[in-house]
Amino acid sequence: MRLLATLALTALLLPLTAQAGDPHSYAQPDKVVVTHLDLDLHMDFAHRELRGDATLSLHWKDPKARDLVLDTSDLKIASVKAVSEDGTTRKLSYVLAPPQKNMGRKLTIAAPNHPGMVRIAYSTSPDAGGLQWLPPAQTADKKHPFMFSQSESVYARSWIPLQDSPAVRFTYDAHITAPENLRVLMSAPNDPEHPLDGDFRFEQTHPIPSYLMAIAAGDIDVRQTGPRSAVYAEPSVVAKAAHEFEDTEKMIATAESLYGPYRWGRYDILVLPPSFPYGGMENPNMTFATPTVLVGDKSLVSLVAHELAHSWSGNLVTAATWRDIWLNEGFTTYVQGRITEALYGKRLADEEVLLSARALQKNIGHMPPNSQKLAPDPRGVGADDSLSDVAYDKGSWFLRTLERRFGRAHFDAYLKGYFDHFAWHSITTEQMLAYLKPHLIDKYPGKMSWAEVKQWVYGTGIPKDAKLPDSPRFDAIDTERAAFLAGTLPAAKLDAKDWNTQEWMYFLDRLPDAPPLAKMKALDAAWHLTGTPNAEIGMRWYIHAIAAGDKAVWPAAAEHMTRIGRLYLTLPLYRALAKTPDGLAFARKVYAQARSGYHPLTQEAVEKLFARADRRMHH
C-alpha cells in the first residue's frame, strides 16, 4: 500500500490481548488455524450489504481447545454450523461479545469436537468499515452503483468472519452473485472475458493473509496491457488508464530479473472511483489504484511499481503482525525504487528517494520515540498507525544502506534468497534478522556491524551516517528557491518549464511552512498552479497558499478536496484550513458537501481533525 502516511492514519491505541501474538486480533491461531475460506455471497446494492455464507476449513493444533475464536465487526450472524465431510450440518452455539473500539466483536464458537469445517451465515452492515458502497452519482460515469473493499489493516473482519491477523494465511474460493451488467472482481485471478451475467466464481490457490481479501463491483470495462496484465476501470477512464499503465509487463519482467519469477499468474490493475482513500492497495492479482495517478505523463506510475513489488515483499513474504509492517512496506519501497531506476532511469529513482527521505527527516523528530523505530514496542501502536512513513521510508533507507555497504550484486543475491526462503510465510522482524545475520552480515565481515543493524531497526531517529543519493537537479532547485524567497529571482524567471512532477513537489515541499503572501501570488501568476489537474502538485501548492493567507485559492482548494478522497492528498488541506477560525468554518462547509463521497476512513480522519481544532480554539 502507498499512502505516505505521515498522516498516521487513525491514531489507534489498541489494548494488548492476553495472548502473545497479534494484539489487534482475537483469533487464537496457536490453538486452531483457518486453512481455507469458501465464500458464497450475494451483493445487495439496495441495502448496501453482502449476505451469505463463509465456510472455514480448520486445522486444530491444540487437542484441549474447546472454541473457535474469530474476528468480526458489525456483522449480523444468522447461524453457525459444523459441516461434516458428507455435507451434513449441525448447529453450533456461539457468543458474540460486545464491540471493542478498533477491535470489533469477538465471535466465540463452541466446538469441543473439533469439526473440520464451520459454516457461518451472516450479512454485513451498510456502514461496514471495510466496504464502500457508491451510488451512481459518486462514480466517474454516474450510471451504475459501485462497491469496493479496503481490508488493510483490520477491516476484513467487517465483511467476513475470520482470523483477521496477517500471521494467518489461507487459500480461498468464492461464488458471488450481483446485479447483471455489473462486473465483480476479487483478489484472485480474474477473467477479462467473463460475461456480465451476475454470476462470478474465483479461486485463490496461494495462501494469503486476511488483509489481502478484496472485492469490487461496478460498471467496469477492461483493456489488456500485456500477456498477463490488464487494466480495469469505468468506461470513461479505461483508455486513459491503459495508456498510463502500458509499461506494466516491462515492470513485471524487470522485477523478475531482480528477484525471481512472478508467482501469481496474472497482474491486473483496477482504477477505483476518486473516493478510494489510499494511493494503491496490493491485493493479489488485482492491485486497487487511485485515479489520482492518471496524470497523462506516467510521472506517478511508481505507484504501480510499488504495488507490483508487494507481490514479493508483503504478499509472498508477509509481516506476521502490524508492528512488523516495515517488512512489507520498507522492502517494497526499496524494490519499487529498483524497478523505477531500471525502467525510467536513476535520476527519477533518486529524486523519489530524496523526496520521501527529506519528508521523513522533517517529520520523524515530531513523532513519539516508539513510533520512530522500524520495530516498535507493540504496546500503544495501532494497526493503522504502523503504516507510517517510518515503515516505508526509514525501512527502505536501511535496505539502501545494506546495498551500499555490501554492494548491489551481493545484496540482490541476498534479497532473492530471502524471498525464496520465506515464500508463502508470515514472519516477524526477529525472524528476518536471524536470516540476515548469517546470509549477509557475517558472510561478508567488516562491512557493517550488528550494532549498526540494531540501531537501524530498534533505534529512534535516523542514524547519523545515513547517506542519500545526489541530485544535481534538486540542488539547482534549492538554489533557485532560496533566490526566489530572498527576492533576487522573480517567480517568472524560475527555470521551471521543464520540471517534472517530482521536481515541482520538491520545490513546494521545501518552501517555508507559511510563506509570504506576495511570493505565493507571484508564483501563481507565473506558473498557474491553482487549478492544476496534478493532485500531487495541487496538494502541496494549496497548503502553502492557504498558510500564506491567500483566500483566492480557497475555491480551487475546495474543488480538489471534493474531487479527491485519497487521504494523503486531501487531509493536509483540511489541516491547513483548520488553523484559523475562518478557514475552519470554510473547511466544514466543504466537508458537508464532500462527505458523502468520502470513504469511512477519510470521514473518520477529517472528523478527528475538526474535533482537535475545536479543542484548540476553545483553549
Side-chain angles (χ1 to χ4, degrees), residues 136 139-144 219 234-237:
T139 64
D141 291 355
K142 313 207 179 306
K143 290 189 182 134
H144 296 280
D219 181 14
E234 292 186 69
S236 67
V237 178

Side-chain angles (χ1 to χ4, degrees), residues 93-108:
S93 59
Y94 63 91
V95 177
L96 199 52
Q100 293 289 326
K101 190 169 171 13
N102 306 322
M103 290 285 284
R105 302 181 71 179
K106 177 180 179 179
L107 175 61
T108 306

Side-chain angles (χ1 to χ4, degrees), residues 76-136:
K76 292 201 234 10
I77 307 293
S79 68
V80 180
K81 294 173 180 169
V83 184
S84 58
E85 282 185 24
D86 63 4
T88 55
T89 62
R90 60 187 168 77
K91 281 201 165 170
L92 296 176
S93 59
Y94 63 91
V95 177
L96 199 52
Q100 293 289 326
K101 190 169 171 13
N102 306 322
M103 290 285 284
R105 302 181 71 179
K106 177 180 179 179
L107 175 61
T108 306
I109 299 166
N113 300 330
H114 293 186
M117 286 192 286
V118 166
R119 179 169 298 147
I120 300 151
Y122 72 99
S123 59
T124 61
S125 152
D127 304 314
L131 300 178
Q132 186 167 21
W133 300 86
L134 300 173

